[in-house]
């Protein structure tokens, strides 16, 4: 279809109020410049109290200003997308491309098989021609229990898929649907609902029963020849490739109870050997890309985490509106949906909804050529994942190719494809470098997306009103901090690697997108300035050293304006994104905790690795299940500590230092010092210390007031108290050394 009669399959709109925001941002930047000017003009002289503290504070404020400028790239040019699925259906219903869906799991204990198959069933039930839909489960644990659960799901799908189609079910994860279903159904639907619910419950009972003994009974093993693959199984890290096509969607007899075609369903556990590094999720994805090219070869690939079930059965068609648009579609490499969660509490005690990222920042990235690839909920062109470069003037070619391999028997296809998942297959190839997902980084998805965009492609961010995918958010503070440690460490590694957006993508993507990538790559770098700012001003308050302008001076105005305006905007942005006031306050707390623990350890581990020292930076699977008591505390929004962790030690020590400093200040006031003069001189320091104490209230509860198992362990509490008492002494020693060094340098300059 030529452009003459061009009717787009999607539209793009710029956000309203951008000019107003840009004026606001400019005024904030002026205020920041005045703060820098104050620091430079009022730096204490050599020998005066607080000189080195002042210099450190100035360095921190320079960093904050620089990072604030980076974040403006995420807000300077936001755009919003809308699709026209009716136009897609009228124009291309008979020419829709094949879609291969990859679901990845790595541990049946952390990622229970019932959760995994609910995700699988939800994507099998997409509103899409089933003969063009193929679902692949990559099981990196090689668990017979996961295979058995998928085998059971393949039988249940024969009832579930027609039920979803008949009653237009949303969401199409059985567990999520049964949980959300209300009583407002007609009698026919109620009857069929009861039937399919019983089938699901029976399936769940069989899977749970199979898990209890620790091994499958001979009766169950005899039901499918695929279990024979486990005869040579040694361990999760030592086994042959296990490939099973459980449903062949191209077989006319592979139908549901209504006689309609079923999608292809494939189980894969790639070969593992102890002497071969397996490259975690990136390695699993690359094996799936190769295996699927032999079995179904769908031109579009969707990958989802095993806990991210489909919440919108039309998501495939939404994505295709972008890919199949005649004018703009040929330049689009991938369509990224936001990562949303279905277990978020009202006030988000761990701020794990990524609300502002989803509703604000990624729309800003989309305005500069597309968002990051975040590793789940993303539709790709197969050829771009395999290294194809963008060429101007190329057109969409979604033709169904008929290969001789498709006429092979299932057994032949399995045997001929298994070698593609061997651990030695990628040796001396471009896989992990120029083809597939990149290797060598905990956030392989980000560098993969960056490399695709650097080859000339664009990406699209689509955030529909009905969320496309819903997953499981972390339910403890420890899980949240570990997850962000992995993310920030991976992003910081990218910054220091050859894939750094600062130089790898220079001239290949827009400047705005480069800056947007840098915002996330610099996460870990925020740790030291934030830690400094959250401890040193409070300690200086205790020593009576003023670090901020007096209330009565004009220099107070830029500080007051920047603080008030940025936090007011932050609150407004959070509320506009659908949050609550208490949720924003919790977000500020987690903002502080991440930067003084997760990002700190990510920063030090990355620097240690770059200097040749061994540091823990491996892939960490975030738990998707929690104990009953932990879950109940999460629902009540009570912060969960529970276990000892170096991150908790840092948080507790920092919180106690601020508490001790505030207590020392109150003691001074009670000794009848001039309160008005103290307030006049140190109002911002008093405010900062007080806010830090207030924001750490859940931490103090965990240290001193709580009796449940979610409190901070006594051993960690004692250790943190000791450290907090030592911090002022340590700072005094450092201050003495710096003053001695300063005087020594001054003396040397005076000697002719």
């Amino acid at each position: 279809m030529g452009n003459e009669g061009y009717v787009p399959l999607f539209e793009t709109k710029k956000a309203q109020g951008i000019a107003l925001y840009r004026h606001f941002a400019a005024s904030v930047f002026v205020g920041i410049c005045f703060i820098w000017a104050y620091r430079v003009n009022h730096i204490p002289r050599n020998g005066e109290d607080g000189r080195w503290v002042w210099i450190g504070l100035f360095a921190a404020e320079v960093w904050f200003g620089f990072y604030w400028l980076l974040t403006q790239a995420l807000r300077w040019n936001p755009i919003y997308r809308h699709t026209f699925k009716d136009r897609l259906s009228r124009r291309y219903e008979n020419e829709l491309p094949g879609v291969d869906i990859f679901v990845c799991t790595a541990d049946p204990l952390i990622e229970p098989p019932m959760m995994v198959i609910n995700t699988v069933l939800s994507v099998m039930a997409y509103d899409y021609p089933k003969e063009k839909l193929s679902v692949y489960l990559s099981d990196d644990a090689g668990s017979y229990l996961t295979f058995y659960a998928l085998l059971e799901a393949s039988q249940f799908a024969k009832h579930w898929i027609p039920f979803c189609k008949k009653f237009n079910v949303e969401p199409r994860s059985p567990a999520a649907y049964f949980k959300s279903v209300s009583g407002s159904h007609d009698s026919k639907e109620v009857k069929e609902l009861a039937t399919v619910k019983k089938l699901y419950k029976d399936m769940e009972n069989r899977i749970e029963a199979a898990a209890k003994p620790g091994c499958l009974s001979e009766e169950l093993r005899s039901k499918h020849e695929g279990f024979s693959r486990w005869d040579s199984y040694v361990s999760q890290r030592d086994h042959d490739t296990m490939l099973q096509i459980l449903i062949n969607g191209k077989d006319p007899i592979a139908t549901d109870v209504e006689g309609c075609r079923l999608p292809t369903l494939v189980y894969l556990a790639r070969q593992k050997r102890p002497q071969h590094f397996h490259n975690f999720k990136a390695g699993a994805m690359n094996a799936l890309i190769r295996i699927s090219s032999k079995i179904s070869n769908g031109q579009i690939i969707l990958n989802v985490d095993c806990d991210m079930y489909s919440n919108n059965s039309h998501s495939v068609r939404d994505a295709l509106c972008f890919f199949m648009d005649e004018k703009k579609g040929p330049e689009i490499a991938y369509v990224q949906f936001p990562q949303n969660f279905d277990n978020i509490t009202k006030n988000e005690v761990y701020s794990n909804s990524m609300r502002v990222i989803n509703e604000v920042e990624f729309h800003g990235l989309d305005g500069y050529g597309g968002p990051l690839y975040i590793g789940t909920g993303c539709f790709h062109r197969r050829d771009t994942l395999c290294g194809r470069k963008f060429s101007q003037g190329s057109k969409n070619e979604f033709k169904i190719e008929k290969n001789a391999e498709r006429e092979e028997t299932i057994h032949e296809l399995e045997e001929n494809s298994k070698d593609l998942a061997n651990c030695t297959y990628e040796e001396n190839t471009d896989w992990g470098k120029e083809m597939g997902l990149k290797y060598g980084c905990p956030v392989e998805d980000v560098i993969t997306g960056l490399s695709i965009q650097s080859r000339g492609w664009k990406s699209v961010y689509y955030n529909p009103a009905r969320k496309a995918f819903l997953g499981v958010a972390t339910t403890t503070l420890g899980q949240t901090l570990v997850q962000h440690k992995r993310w920030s460490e991976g992003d910081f590694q990218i910054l220091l690697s050859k894939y750094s957006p600062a130089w790898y993508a220079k001239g290949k993507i827009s400047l705005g997108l480069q800056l947007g990538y840098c915002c996330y790559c610099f996460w870990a770098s925020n740790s030291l300035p934030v830690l400094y700012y959250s401890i040193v001003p409070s300690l200086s308050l205790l020593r009576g050293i003023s670090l901020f302008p007096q209330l009565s001076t004009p220099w107070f105005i830029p500080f007051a304006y920047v603080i008030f305006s940025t936090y007011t905007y932050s609150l407004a942005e959070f509320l506009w994104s659908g949050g609550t006031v208490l949720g924003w306050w919790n977000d500020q707390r987690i903002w502080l905790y991440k930067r003084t623990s997760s990002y700190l350890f990510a920063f030090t581990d990355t620097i240690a690795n770059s200097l040749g020292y061994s540091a823990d930076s491996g892939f960490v699977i975030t738990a998707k299940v929690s104990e009953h008591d932990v879950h109940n505390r999460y629902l009540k929004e009570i912060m969960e500590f529970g276990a000892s962790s170096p991150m908790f030690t840092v948080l507790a020590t920092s919180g106690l230092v601020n508490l001790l400093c505030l207590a020392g200040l109150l003691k001074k006031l009670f000794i009848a010092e001039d309160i008005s003069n103290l307030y006049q001189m140190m109002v911002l320091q008093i405010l900062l210390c007080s806010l830090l104490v207030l924001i750490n209230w859940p931490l103090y509860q965990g240290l001193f007031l709580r009796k449940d198992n979610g409190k901070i362990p006594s051993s960690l509490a004692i250790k943190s108290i000791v450290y907090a008492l030592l911090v002022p002494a340590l700072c005094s020693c450092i201050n003495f050394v710096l003053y001695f060094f300063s005087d020594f340098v001054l003396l040397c300059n005076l000697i002719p």
Side-chain angles (χ1 to χ4, degrees):
M1 183 181 292
N3 288 346
E4 204 175 297
Y6 170 67
V7 179
L9 296 179
F10 70 92
E11 68 176 357
T12 303
K13 292 183 178 180
K14 286 186 174 291
Q16 297 179 344
I18 291 300
L20 182 63
Y21 175 78
R22 290 175 179 176
H23 281 90
F24 163 75
S27 71
V28 172
F29 181 65
V30 170
I32 291 172
C33 290
F34 273 110
I35 290 173
W36 291 342
Y38 170 78
R39 289 291 173 208
V40 172
N41 290 328
H42 292 77
I43 186 169
R45 297 173 182 172
N46 280 330
E48 289 185 4
D49 279 349
R51 176 179 171 82
W52 290 104
V53 172
W54 190 282
I55 292 172
L57 212 61
F58 176 48
E61 287 167 349
V62 168
W63 173 260
F64 292 148
F66 165 74
Y67 190 76
W68 179 86
L69 282 174
L70 281 183
T71 64
Q72 298 316 295
L74 304 174
R75 292 164 174 82
W76 206 250
N77 189 39
I79 59 174
Y80 297 86
R81 313 276 191 177
H82 176 72
T83 60
F84 302 107
K85 294 184 286 293
D86 55 333
R87 297 177 186 175
L88 176 75
S89 299
R90 287 197 302 268
R91 204 177 302 172
Y92 293 116
E93 189 62 36
N94 297 324
E95 302 174 37
L96 295 174
V99 176
D100 292 346
I101 302 175
F102 299 165
V103 182
C104 296
T105 184
D107 191 323
L109 298 178
I110 297 175
E111 301 163 336
M114 280 306 301
M115 180 185 69
V116 174
I117 65 170
N118 268 281
T119 298
V120 169
L121 288 164
S122 73
V123 295
M124 288 180 72
Y126 268 132
D127 176 23
Y128 200 73
K130 297 300 181 281
E131 66 275 11
K132 298 181 180 181
L133 200 62
S134 301
V135 181
Y136 295 78
L137 176 64
S138 170
D139 178 17
D140 251 14
S143 167
Y144 63 83
L145 183 59
T146 301
F147 175 72
Y148 173 63
L150 192 66
L151 184 62
E152 287 280 0
S154 69
Q155 298 302 311
F156 178 70
K158 297 177 180 179
H159 302 270
W160 177 246
I161 292 175
F163 175 78
C164 291
K165 184 178 180 180
K166 183 183 294 185
F167 298 108
N168 197 25
V169 166
E170 294 285 5
R172 297 196 173 181
S173 158
Y177 176 70
F178 296 146
K179 184 179 178 181
S180 65
V181 71
S182 64
S184 57
H185 299 277
D186 58 46
S187 57
K188 184 179 180 182
E189 184 174 354
V190 169
K191 185 177 179 181
E192 293 200 33
L193 174 62
T195 301
V196 77
K197 197 171 184 178
K198 183 179 184 305
L199 289 171
Y200 176 81
K201 193 65 181 175
D202 291 344
M203 174 184 68
E204 184 179 33
N205 290 336
R206 288 193 297 272
I207 293 172
E208 290 179 353
K212 286 178 182 177
C215 62
L216 289 174
S217 65
E218 287 301 320
E219 180 185 357
L220 291 177
R221 290 173 67 91
S222 64
K223 286 186 176 181
H224 197 280
E225 63 176 358
F227 287 111
S228 63
R229 301 288 191 273
W230 273 266
D231 292 342
S232 61
Y233 182 86
V234 178
S235 70
Q236 289 188 13
R237 294 181 55 82
D238 191 4
H239 60 78
D240 292 328
T241 298
M242 292 177 276
L243 175 65
Q244 289 290 303
I245 302 175
L246 300 180
I247 300 176
N248 180 10
K250 296 169 182 64
D251 188 343
I253 65 171
T255 59
D256 60 30
V257 293
E258 300 286 338
C260 298
R261 296 278 287 274
L262 286 169
T264 295
L265 181 63
V266 180
Y267 172 88
L268 172 67
R270 60 190 169 122
Q271 186 188 50
K272 294 279 191 71
R273 292 291 181 255
Q275 64 271 27
H276 291 281
F277 189 63
H278 58 81
N279 291 301
F280 305 111
K281 181 180 174 182
M285 282 283 291
N286 287 343
L288 284 171
I289 292 171
R290 295 191 296 270
I291 290 289
S292 63
S293 69
K294 285 282 282 186
I295 297 174
S296 54
N297 201 31
Q299 291 154 300
I300 301 297
I301 291 174
L302 162 66
N303 82 283
V304 292
D305 288 343
C306 64
D307 65 317
M308 296 294 273
Y309 68 82
S310 168
N311 186 57
N312 186 340
S313 62
H314 304 293
S315 296
V316 177
R317 294 178 180 271
D318 278 325
L320 289 180
C321 285
F322 297 103
F323 288 122
M324 302 190 75
D325 185 84
E326 295 88 349
K327 190 174 181 180
K328 299 179 180 177
E331 66 183 9
I332 296 172
Y334 62 85
V335 179
Q336 179 66 66
F337 286 79
Q339 191 172 6
N340 298 111
F341 307 96
D342 70 351
N343 63 329
I344 298 295
T345 57
K346 179 182 178 182
N347 297 308
E348 307 173 43
V349 65
Y350 302 119
S351 188
N352 43 17
S353 69
M354 299 193 292
R355 187 178 300 281
V356 173
I357 291 177
N358 289 340
E359 301 298 329
V360 178
E361 295 183 356
F362 270 31
H363 286 286
L365 287 174
D366 203 10
Y368 287 111
L372 289 67
Y373 167 40
I374 60 175
T376 184
C378 190
F379 290 83
H380 290 268
R381 290 180 185 270
R382 177 181 289 272
D383 53 3
T384 60
L385 275 179
C386 293
R388 180 188 156 200
K389 293 183 178 180
F390 173 72
S391 57
Q392 197 70 38
S394 61
K395 296 182 179 179
N396 278 328
E397 293 185 1
F398 291 112
K399 295 179 181 178
I400 301 175
E401 302 175 3
K402 294 185 178 180
N403 299 330
E405 287 88 343
R406 293 184 178 175
E407 297 176 4
E408 294 175 322
T409 66
I410 287 181
H411 180 71
E412 290 172 338
L413 193 53
E414 290 172 348
E415 291 303 314
N416 293 336
S417 303
K418 282 167 58 176
D419 288 346
L420 298 173
N422 284 354
C423 53
T424 57
Y425 180 85
E426 296 178 349
E427 292 179 358
N428 302 315
T429 72
D430 284 334
W431 284 99
K433 303 172 197 145
E434 300 301 322
M435 297 179 68
L437 272 72
K438 303 288 186 182
Y439 294 155
C441 179
V443 285
E444 65 286 320
D445 35 34
V446 176
I447 56 173
T448 300
L450 178 60
S451 67
I452 290 172
Q453 291 167 331
S454 297
R455 293 199 297 267
W457 294 94
K458 291 184 178 180
S459 58
V460 163
Y461 179 63
Y462 187 53
N463 186 12
R466 181 175 182 88
K467 302 307 179 186
F469 304 96
L470 291 177
V472 180
T474 53
T475 57
T476 70
L477 181 61
Q479 291 173 5
T480 301
L481 297 180
V482 167
Q483 185 180 65
H484 278 274
K485 191 258 186 184
R486 183 174 72 88
W487 289 346
S488 58
E489 182 175 10
D491 287 339
F492 192 46
Q493 287 179 8
I494 293 173
L495 185 71
L496 302 180
S497 74
K498 66 177 182 179
Y499 294 110
S500 172
W503 47 79
Y504 174 76
K506 186 179 181 182
K508 301 175 183 176
I509 62 176
S510 66
L511 177 61
L513 191 54
Q514 270 187 279
L515 296 176
Y517 269 99
C518 287
C519 280
Y520 302 110
C521 290
F522 276 121
W523 268 355
S525 308
N526 279 299
S527 57
L528 296 181
V530 172
L531 189 64
Y532 186 92
Y533 223 90
S534 62
I535 292 179
V536 173
S538 297
L539 290 172
S540 299
L541 180 67
L542 195 63
R543 296 177 57 202
I545 300 174
S546 177
L547 299 175
F548 296 93
Q550 296 182 28
L551 185 61
S552 58
T553 66
W555 287 109
F556 180 82
I557 296 174
F559 280 88
Y561 177 72
V562 170
I563 293 169
F564 177 78
S565 60
T566 54
Y567 278 96
T568 300
Y569 174 78
S570 172
L571 174 59
E573 186 178 67
F574 194 86
L575 296 176
W576 180 85
S577 301
T580 65
V581 174
L582 185 54
W584 173 79
W585 179 248
N586 289 334
D587 183 66
Q588 301 307 303
R589 179 184 299 112
I590 298 301
W591 181 95
L592 176 67
Y593 286 2
K594 286 186 299 187
R595 281 155 179 76
T596 54
S597 62
S598 302
Y599 295 177
L600 178 65
F601 283 92
F603 182 84
T604 54
D605 278 4
T606 303
I607 297 300
N609 280 326
S610 66
L611 295 176
Y613 297 97
S614 177
D616 177 24
S617 58
F619 179 78
V620 179
I621 306 171
T622 306
K624 306 300 191 300
V625 292
S626 56
E627 297 176 3
H628 180 70
D629 289 347
V630 173
H631 182 67
N632 284 340
R633 285 192 287 271
Y634 173 70
L635 294 179
K636 295 176 182 177
E637 299 187 332
I638 299 173
M639 189 162 280
E640 184 74 25
F641 299 98
S644 292
S645 166
M647 294 191 194
F648 292 166
T649 303
V650 174
L651 294 180
T653 302
S654 174
L656 287 170
V657 166
N658 281 286
L659 185 62
L660 290 172
C661 290
L662 186 63
L665 174 67
L666 293 175
K667 180 184 175 183
K668 284 185 178 181
L669 297 179
F670 283 125
I671 299 177
E673 285 196 10
D674 189 347
I675 298 176
S676 61
N677 185 53
L678 187 66
Y679 182 76
Q680 176 76 228
M681 294 283 292
M682 299 186 173
V683 59
L684 288 178
Q685 273 171 270
I686 295 171
L687 178 64
L688 176 61
C689 185
S690 301
L691 284 174
L692 287 169
V693 169
L694 186 60
I695 210 166
N696 277 309
W697 175 244
L699 186 73
Y700 304 140
Q701 286 181 309
L703 281 167
F704 306 120
L705 303 178
R706 285 169 55 181
K707 303 298 181 184
D708 56 65
N709 292 331
K711 70 181 181 67
I712 292 177
S714 301
S715 58
L716 192 149
I718 294 170
K719 188 192 304 182
S720 301
I721 292 170
V722 172
Y723 289 162
L725 293 172
L726 290 175
V727 165
L730 179 63
C731 289
S732 296
C733 291
I734 294 173
N735 193 51
F736 174 78
V737 171
L738 289 172
Y739 275 120
F740 177 79
F741 174 75
S742 179
D743 290 342
F744 178 75
V745 171
L746 183 63
L747 183 62
C748 289
N749 290 332
L750 293 175
I751 297 175

